[in-house]
Amino acid sequence: MSEKAKNEQSDHRDFTGVGWASVPFHRGSTGDEELDRRISELVADWKCGQNASLIEEMIITALKLGHDEVGVGELKLLNRALKEMRTAENVFHPYQHRRKVSVYGSARTDPSAPEFKAAVEFGRKMSEKDYMVITGAGDGIMGAANLGAGRESSFGLSINLPFETGANETIRDDLKLIDFNYFFTRKLSFVKEADAVALFPGGFGTMDEGFEQLTLIQTGKSTVVPLVAVDAPGGTYWKTWKQFLEEHLLRRGLISEEDFYLFKVTDDLDEAVEEILGFYRLFHSYRFVRGKMVIRLREALSENALARLNEDFGGMLEKGRIEQTKALKEEADEPSLFSMPRLVCSPKRRGYGMYRKLIDAINKAETKTAVK
């Protein structure tokens, strides 16, 4: 199988369907049957297809905001946020079949610094594996990662700041450069579009983005993805950070030992790249359906491998066993993934570090093809 084929994504990426807290859709109402009918007719005239009910719900919500007499400042915020999210969706949509890695790091890093050179090389290596790189569009580490990946394989998510210096040379004036006014809409794109995360040394912003990624994964509000903290060769930035977590968070019981499965610290670029690529060796993706975790695989596992998973990970299940099956009928909304074999189980509603450990075990497991 080619590297490109291995990295192909679904044509339907439901960011809301990955966690226990996913809320089922229920169409609302204005409370006025005639007005509801007019809204439905308007949406039908606009030809919104299978998304008509969701568009109707958004219109109803907007009308209710007007009825609630929400202040103009709040309405401006909501309006601009929705527009920014729409713009980002339109930019990313043509590239939905390619996997992407979000790269964070300082804008102040000098091109002569070993961290800068490491980020350039990391971007190059990921691009060679058909991954696209998402950065904050600035200089320093961000510019280095874009430089390594090249313009064709780069996205830039710029933020409007009083001291903004503009986008880096690689992504400047590119159609894949998006300007955001709000950090929260920008952060949503970083998380929603990424299949992996790479942290390079940085300041408050890098720490904020790294901890947010970990928090969202730890709480099940976003998918478990490979997160690698990359030092320059011989560097100690992330090693010291990990030591802080061990001595001041883990020791006090503020985090769990299994949380350390959610990330990897390394100063070896090849190891960093393999951490990402290896995550998708057999594992493709997962979602929750009626309380069950459905794990999509590139190949079916052997019976021995399945038995070993049940033996090693039975403790993380709420009930039952890990079963290998075909797609569930509720997954019909993802037709491009429907033919993939599945593992289905009922895991406990916490401990996403163990989810990551399970995925690692799956990627090392024996397949039915290998047995033959």
Side-chain angles (χ1 to χ4, degrees):
M1 184 183 298
S2 69
E3 201 69 51
K4 183 175 182 180
K6 288 182 180 179
N7 292 333
E8 279 189 352
Q9 272 288 64
S10 164
D11 61 356
H12 175 91
R13 300 186 64 183
D14 186 0
F15 181 70
T16 69
V18 300
W20 290 97
S22 300
V23 179
F25 170 74
H26 297 291
R27 184 186 180 282
S29 170
T30 62
D32 183 324
E33 290 186 6
E34 174 59 20
L35 186 54
D36 287 348
R37 183 189 64 77
R38 288 162 58 192
I39 291 171
S40 295
E41 287 182 353
L42 172 65
V43 173
D45 289 343
W46 200 251
K47 296 179 173 57
C48 295
Q50 62 182 3
N51 297 319
S53 294
L54 281 168
I55 301 301
E56 290 176 25
E57 177 77 0
M58 294 170 73
I59 293 173
I60 290 170
T61 299
L63 292 176
K64 287 182 177 179
L65 283 169
H67 189 271
D68 294 340
E69 298 183 355
V70 175
V72 65
E74 286 79 2
L75 288 175
K76 284 182 177 180
L77 184 153
L78 293 169
N79 183 48
R80 183 158 186 172
L82 186 59
K83 286 183 176 181
E84 289 187 356
M85 291 167 64
R86 177 177 179 263
T87 297
E89 176 61 27
N90 284 336
V91 171
F92 278 104
H93 184 77
Y95 305 93
Q96 61 186 311
H97 294 290
R98 291 184 64 184
R99 291 202 182 273
K100 306 169 190 70
V101 54
S102 286
V103 179
Y104 302 115
S106 176
R108 303 182 185 186
T109 304
D110 190 85
S112 63
E115 292 83 3
F116 185 98
K117 296 174 182 178
V120 171
E121 185 67 5
F122 177 80
R124 183 186 67 79
K125 288 177 178 289
M126 294 309 304
S127 177
E128 287 176 350
K129 298 299 182 180
D130 201 43
Y131 272 67
M132 301 186 79
V133 167
I134 307 171
T135 79
D139 293 318
I141 294 296
M142 294 175 280
N146 285 143
L147 177 62
R151 191 177 180 92
E152 293 300 316
S153 294
S154 287
F155 288 92
L157 310 186
S158 181
I159 184 74
N160 295 323
L161 297 172
F163 47 85
E164 181 181 4
T165 58
N168 64 65
E169 185 176 344
T170 300
I171 199 66
R172 187 180 303 149
D173 298 324
D174 192 270
L175 294 177
K176 301 189 300 304
L177 172 65
I178 310 169
D179 291 318
F180 291 88
N181 187 61
Y182 300 123
F183 270 110
F184 70 89
T185 50
R186 179 180 183 241
K187 286 180 174 181
L188 177 60
S189 289
F190 268 122
V191 176
K192 183 170 73 73
E193 301 296 338
D195 301 286
V197 177
L199 302 172
F200 284 79
F204 289 158
T206 300
M207 287 291 168
D208 171 54
E209 290 154 338
F211 275 119
E212 181 169 49
Q213 289 272 1
L214 284 170
T215 300
L216 291 170
I217 295 172
Q218 183 201 48
T219 56
K221 299 300 284 187
S222 71
T223 46
V224 175
V225 297
L227 190 155
V228 57
V230 188
D231 271 318
T236 60
Y237 182 97
W238 292 113
K239 293 175 184 176
T240 303
W241 172 79
K242 183 181 179 183
Q243 185 178 356
F244 168 80
L245 298 185
E246 293 170 339
E247 294 182 0
H248 297 282
L249 277 69
L250 179 61
R251 183 173 60 84
R252 298 185 182 191
L254 303 178
I255 59 175
S256 303
E257 287 189 14
E258 62 193 24
D259 291 327
F260 286 85
Y261 294 133
L262 296 176
F263 64 90
K264 184 180 187 65
V265 172
T266 182
D267 64 354
D268 185 322
L269 288 177
D270 289 332
E271 186 176 31
V273 171
E274 180 54 36
E275 175 75 0
I276 295 171
L277 300 182
F279 186 85
Y280 296 105
R281 176 178 167 264
L282 289 177
F283 168 82
H284 181 276
S285 56
Y286 70 89
R287 66 183 285 187
F288 283 89
V289 176
R290 292 180 283 107
K292 293 182 179 294
M293 184 181 187
V294 182
I295 303 172
R296 283 77 73 100
L297 305 177
R298 300 186 183 282
E299 293 184 52
L301 303 186
S302 69
E303 294 300 320
N304 287 338
L306 183 61
R308 182 63 182 270
L309 289 179
N310 275 292
E311 180 180 341
D312 293 344
F313 294 93
M316 67 172 281
L317 303 181
E318 191 71 43
K319 59 181 179 180
R321 294 172 55 82
I322 302 173
E323 304 287 348
Q324 189 157 237
T325 183
K326 296 180 180 179
L328 306 183
K329 62 180 181 180
E330 291 87 350
E331 297 180 89
D333 58 350
E334 297 181 280
S336 64
L337 306 182
F338 209 71
S339 63
M340 287 184 167
R342 263 76 168 157
L343 296 180
V344 179
C345 61
S346 299
K348 296 176 181 177
R349 301 193 181 193
R350 59 179 301 170
Y352 281 81
M354 290 302 297
Y355 288 28
R356 171 58 201 266
K357 194 173 182 181
L358 171 61
I359 292 171
D360 287 344
I362 289 170
N363 283 316
K364 296 175 183 178
E366 180 185 63
T367 65
K368 285 186 177 180
T369 303
V371 173
K372 295 177 183 178

